[in-house]
Amino acid sequence: RKEVEQDPGPFNVPEGATVAFNCTYSNSASQSFFWYRQDCRKEPKLLMSVYSSGNEDGRFTAQLNRASQYISLLIRDSKLSDSATYLCVVNSGTASKLTFGTGTRLQVTL
Amino acid sequence: NAGVTQTPKFQVLKTGQSMTLQCAQDMNHEYMSWYRQDPGMGLRLIHYSVGAGITDQGEVPNGYNVSRSTTEDFPLRLLSAAPSQTSVYFCASSETGGRYNEQFFGPGTRLTVL
């Protein structure tokens, strides 16, 4: 089983739609969780950290479920500019080890 | 601030050739790392450094060497290139390797080994 698993998509949604991605992780000792965004042929950039209590940043909401070992990302009112690949990232104990999921591709259309 | 810079952007090598991928950051970050990204595999950690003079292996270190003589620079050396090393290479830095510290990535180097 992969340490971090994501549905590769693509998720094709119309502008204005709400879309949600899930990511599961296998190491129950994982301590930190992130969502990064990667545009085509560009470097990943931090979208948001995921806290135990859940957190929101504008149209983006991240949730953590430790019991079921998954994190989620909800995007409301999707924009064309949200089209990208969303990477789930988990830090498993040691500061140096970040494990990246393979990413979920989102395509927002008119 | 330029952030994290990488050179070259593109490189084609023949099997057996060696080369160095350059990475520099101007944010005075202690922690630097190298990843490779392959289709369907996600980013995988090659080597990392928690400060000048200190390096350690990541998940896929074979075939690569690193050194960290200054805080700013963290070059990645391919000793004898193989087609399996065809990939996109990203360098990243953060204030520390701490759990909540954002990693800043360079623009990547696209390497093809023939």
Side-chain angles (χ1 to χ4, degrees):
Chain A
R1 180 184 172 187
K2 287 183 181 177
E3 281 195 59
V4 178
E5 291 204 66
Q6 296 183 251
D7 182 342
F11 284 63
N12 294 302
V13 303
E15 237 186 340
T18 295
V19 62
F21 311 134
N22 279 347
C23 163
T24 58
Y25 61 95
S26 61
N27 187 344
S28 59
S30 298
Q31 298 175 348
S32 316
F33 309 89
F34 311 89
W35 285 102
Y36 276 71
R37 170 193 168 128
Q38 185 173 26
D39 293 301
C40 189
R41 300 180 72 79
K42 298 284 191 182
E43 71 272 24
K45 293 184 179 178
L46 180 66
L47 179 66
M48 57 198 304
S49 301
V50 186
Y51 303 121
S52 296
S53 54
N55 48 301
E56 188 173 307
D57 183 2
R59 297 182 293 107
F60 299 85
T61 300
Q63 296 278 355
L64 167 63
N65 185 317
R66 285 192 184 273
S68 300
Q69 294 183 207
Y70 76 83
I71 68 173
S72 63
L73 177 67
L74 180 78
I75 305 175
R76 291 181 298 279
D77 189 23
S78 298
K79 312 289 185 194
L80 292 174
S81 57
D82 293 333
S83 298
T85 296
Y86 291 83
L87 306 175
C88 172
V89 184
V90 174
N91 175 303
S92 298
T94 60
S96 56
K97 184 165 168 46
L98 287 181
T99 302
F100 286 75
T102 54
T104 297
R105 194 156 70 87
L106 171 66
Q107 183 66 50
V108 182
T109 57
L110 288 169
Chain B
N1 283 358
V4 180
T5 57
Q6 290 184 238
T7 55
K9 284 191 167 59
F10 302 93
Q11 183 70 48
V12 179
L13 292 178
K14 294 181 179 177
T15 297
Q17 287 184 314
S18 62
M19 79 159 294
T20 298
L21 278 61
Q22 301 292 344
C23 174
Q25 52 91 9
D26 61 0
M27 297 175 281
N28 203 32
H29 286 170
E30 290 296 321
Y31 183 81
M32 296 186 74
S33 52
W34 276 102
Y35 294 87
R36 59 178 290 173
Q37 186 174 33
D38 303 292
M41 297 289 290
L43 278 84
R44 292 181 291 167
L45 182 65
I46 304 171
H47 285 285
Y48 66 96
S49 168
V50 299
I54 306 168
T55 63
D56 206 345
Q57 296 181 351
E59 182 186 354
V60 288
N62 292 342
Y64 308 96
N65 272 358
V66 292
S67 60
R68 183 94 180 271
S69 55
T70 66
T71 299
E72 294 77 20
D73 299 298
F74 190 44
L76 178 73
R77 279 183 290 279
L78 279 71
L79 308 172
S80 177
S84 61
Q85 293 178 305
T86 293
S87 188
V88 180
Y89 292 85
F90 289 103
C91 178
S93 74
S94 63
E95 286 187 10
T96 70
R99 288 184 290 160
Y100 299 106
N101 279 20
E102 176 179 358
Q103 294 222 10
F104 294 85
F105 286 84
T109 294
R110 283 162 178 77
L111 176 68
T112 301
V113 182
L114 302 174

